[in-house]
Amino acid sequence: MASRADHPKGSKLFRAVQLCGPVNRALATLSAGNRTLLRASDEQELVHDMCRVIVETGGYRIAAVAYADHDAAKHLRWIANVGGMEDDFGAAHFTWDDTEFGQTATGTAIRSGQPVIGRHILTDPAYAGPAYASLRQNALRNGYASATAFPLRVNGEVLGALAMSAAEPDAFDAAEVKLLGELADDLAYGIANLRTGVQHRAAQATIARLAYFDTLTGLPNRTLLLEKLAAAMAASSAPGTLALLHLEVSRFSEINKVLGYSAGDELLRKLAARLQGAAQEALLARVGEAEFALLLPAAGAVAAVQVARHLVDLLDEPVEVAGLMIDTRVGVGIALFPDHASDADTLVRRANAAVHQSGPAHSGYVMYTGGHEQGNTRRLALMGDLHRAIEHGQLQLYCQPKVDLATQRVCGAEALVRWQHPLKGMISPGEFIPLAEQAGTITPLTNWVLEAAFRQVHCWSRAGHTRPLAINLSALDLYDPGLVDRVRGLFATTGIARGLIQFELTESALMVDPTDALATLTRLKQLGVELFVDDFGTGHSSLSYLQKLPVDAVKIDQSFVMPMESNEDSQVIVRSTIELGHNLGLKVVAEGVESEAIWHRLAALGCDVAQGYFIGRPLPTALFDRWEAGWTPAARRPEAPAPVTSSCP
């Protein structure tokens, strides 16, 4: 199993990104819509659930899907609508023909094949005639003022349109429309998949989601936080690599009493949106009436304090509620695993206890004081040692095997880096890779891995072994202007075949700056390498964005693969991801294969490649030949072989 901490894939730190309300609304809708696509099992369910997500998660007043009938009158056939107007949708003689009854946003979008953006229902001339009197009355009665529609293209034809209405007359600005356009493209793609037989089971997942998410904010709730926290603890490979932040809004009960509970709800939604805008890939949950928690699975004390400072500053900005500017004060408590607790429930309680020690005299955040803090000194010392380690040969190249599930043959490996400290012994990558990013040494570290990996592939090729080797790149590596030239130079000096080098990039790293990431990936792809999207399913990329990437494969995150034997939801996600990847023409790699049962299950689902402890643990490259000679899929990993003499550096 390739742990997330085994390679420089990018830390879980925040970007100080503040998004406006409409964009947050559309982004939340897009994210929830993507989950709906993966879980849908039939077309009617998909379009209805997508409309429900737009209304309930996105906060739009009405969402509906209409298909275009190709009869003489060119009727609109309403497949789903959520948010009201059931009688009007059933009785009105809507059409997509260029007639008096065909001037709606929906009819126009289908007829023209272009989005119709932000029509003001009460003032737009298209709705001024008597044919639309009932629609105008309904808009006043149900509190919506603007309408937008996006054509749904399936197999090159306009099947229908996705329509939605918002309360604001000037809703649907350019940024919001761009995200909603991606949502419409994703919906059309999902419909096309379902029509070609791709099955996505959503009923159980939908029911389960209600138990795991807060209905007011749309955030994960305490139950889901505890499950994710326990899983992160189990997967943590080194002390001090997991932090939990507990945030509590002060004077919230006073706000409820003075302004009312609806104002309190509005405040929480706006604070949640602000936090989500900054959280990026970190898990944000609502754990109490006015309490939030943030799980940082790849952060120690230094990173946790940096995040806490940012959150205090972010939430110190006033929030407009019920026409008033509310000055919110937030206290942040920090607890670390395993320094302060060894189980999820205790860590949550201790982070909660710490928040009550914060206040004006403590800058709004405080570290839990009941645990051990000697880890801070160790991490600061390691920052200074890491640069010398890169220069003085203390790093070692390891690799973890990958096996083709169909042929059961070894088909490559993932390159991993280890640090043998002269005094402290073997240092976990989960400890030193985040330090490299914080200390500004991630580029020298990546350069070392690149050179070592190219040398190893050259050595294998010289010995007659055709073994592709995958190299992990972090988010910071993607924005290094010299990366592509260094890779081109290594190909020139080693002379190895281009297909023997692969690069893996996490989904979250790609989403830090999608435009720049796409440019770098395109340049790398032009060199003839293979590109993998790692930890797939844990980020926030849309299917439309994934289709644009010049990638060859996706790796299903181990958090979905490992619990497949006991968790039906994980099985659904893995099966859907395999089908999705294949429909996009991509190979699918499963990481976290730790048992023979999971191996056979993945093979039955048509997964292409497996990686994990059942196949082989990370091992020094000098031992790879001996490991491969003893590999049999029916046997568990043998004990590590004794060192052997190798002609490779």
Side-chain angles (χ1 to χ4, degrees), residues 27 53 80 86 102 145 156 181 319 448 476 513 549 554 562 576 605 614:
L27 186 58
V53 161
E86 288 82 358
V319 180
W448 184 92
L476 296 177
D513 191 333
L549 297 177
V554 295
M562 292 172 62
S576 298
L605 292 174
F614 173 71

Side-chain angles (χ1 to χ4, degrees), residues 100-327:
E100 181 183 10
F101 289 96
Q103 304 309 312
T104 62
T106 305
T108 305
I110 295 175
R111 185 169 61 253
S112 66
Q114 299 296 324
V116 178
I117 307 303
R119 279 194 175 178
H120 194 327
I121 293 173
L122 300 180
T123 61
D124 194 306
Y127 296 138
Y132 297 100
S134 61
L135 181 61
R136 295 193 299 272
Q137 292 171 5
N138 192 282
L140 291 171
R141 184 168 60 252
N142 288 284
Y144 62 93
S146 57
T148 285
F150 299 88
L152 298 174
R153 292 187 179 275
V154 175
N155 298 325
E157 302 261 340
V158 177
L159 170 70
L162 170 65
M164 60 191 73
S165 296
E168 308 89 347
D170 57 349
F172 306 110
D173 61 19
E176 185 177 10
V177 165
K178 180 179 179 182
L179 292 169
L180 294 175
E182 289 189 18
L183 179 68
D185 290 343
D186 289 347
L187 175 58
Y189 180 80
I191 293 171
N193 271 345
L194 291 171
R195 290 190 170 190
T196 58
V198 177
Q199 297 301 312
H200 300 294
R201 301 181 180 178
Q204 299 89 343
T206 301
I207 295 172
R209 191 180 189 285
L210 295 176
Y212 284 114
F213 287 83
D214 171 53
T215 56
L216 177 65
T217 63
L219 295 175
N221 61 18
R222 179 185 291 270
T223 302
L224 182 55
L225 172 71
L226 288 170
E227 288 190 8
K228 294 291 187 182
L229 182 55
M233 287 178 167
S236 180
S237 60
T241 59
L242 186 153
L244 184 71
L245 276 59
H246 187 100
L247 300 85
E248 184 168 323
V249 182
S250 62
R251 301 188 298 110
F252 183 73
S253 59
E254 180 183 349
I255 294 171
N256 276 337
K257 290 177 183 178
V258 175
L259 300 179
Y261 288 99
S262 61
D265 289 347
E266 181 183 0
L267 173 63
L268 290 176
R269 282 192 294 266
K270 289 186 175 181
L271 290 178
R274 192 178 291 182
L275 286 169
Q276 279 185 298
Q280 298 296 302
E281 69 273 13
L283 177 66
L284 175 68
R286 185 187 178 201
V287 295
E289 183 184 31
E291 299 170 63
F292 301 89
L294 193 67
L295 170 59
L296 303 176
V302 175
V305 168
Q306 290 175 342
V307 172
R309 287 174 178 167
H310 172 64
L311 293 181
V312 170
D313 293 338
L314 180 68
L315 299 182
D316 193 44
E317 294 292 325
V319 180
E320 183 176 0
V321 176
L324 300 174
M325 297 303 295
I326 304 299
D327 184 17

Side-chain angles (χ1 to χ4, degrees), residues 69 107 217 269 280 367 374 418 519 523 578 605 630-631 646:
D69 282 341
T217 63
R269 282 192 294 266
Q280 298 296 302
M367 184 77 68
Q374 64 269 26
R418 296 293 186 267
R523 294 180 64 204
I578 292 171
L605 292 174
W631 155 251
S646 173

Side-chain angles (χ1 to χ4, degrees), residues 499-510:
L500 295 180
I501 291 296
Q502 302 166 338
F503 289 105
E504 296 186 5
L505 305 99
T506 61
E507 188 179 8
S508 57
L510 294 172

Side-chain angles (χ1 to χ4, degrees), residues 2-51:
S3 171
R4 195 177 297 179
D6 278 334
H7 40 66
K9 297 179 178 176
S11 67
K12 304 291 185 179
L13 299 181
F14 289 91
R15 294 176 67 223
V17 179
Q18 298 187 22
L19 300 176
C20 62
V23 174
N24 267 335
R25 175 170 68 180
L27 186 58
T29 307
L30 178 61
S31 178
N34 284 337
R35 290 192 293 271
T36 300
L37 286 173
L38 286 175
R39 298 175 185 273
S41 60
D42 67 80
E43 188 171 327
Q44 179 64 51
E45 177 187 17
L46 172 61
V47 295
H48 174 78
D49 284 356
M50 188 67 75
C51 291

Side-chain angles (χ1 to χ4, degrees), residues 427-509:
I427 308 297
S428 164
E431 192 171 11
F432 72 80
I433 289 176
L435 292 179
E437 294 183 320
Q438 296 172 29
T441 54
I442 190 64
T443 296
L445 178 61
T446 300
N447 289 342
W448 184 92
V449 175
L450 284 170
E451 293 173 3
F454 271 81
R455 285 198 305 269
Q456 184 60 51
V457 172
H458 175 71
C459 178
W460 281 339
S461 298
R462 194 174 58 193
H465 300 300
T466 304
R467 290 191 191 121
L469 192 58
I471 303 168
N472 295 286
L473 297 178
S474 74
L476 296 177
D477 292 325
L478 282 178
Y479 312 115
D480 176 5
L483 172 67
V484 177
D485 288 337
R486 279 195 295 275
V487 173
R488 183 183 293 107
L490 287 169
F491 274 120
T493 55
T494 60
I496 64 175
R498 300 298 176 101
L500 295 180
I501 291 296
Q502 302 166 338
F503 289 105
E504 296 186 5
L505 305 99
T506 61
E507 188 179 8
S508 57

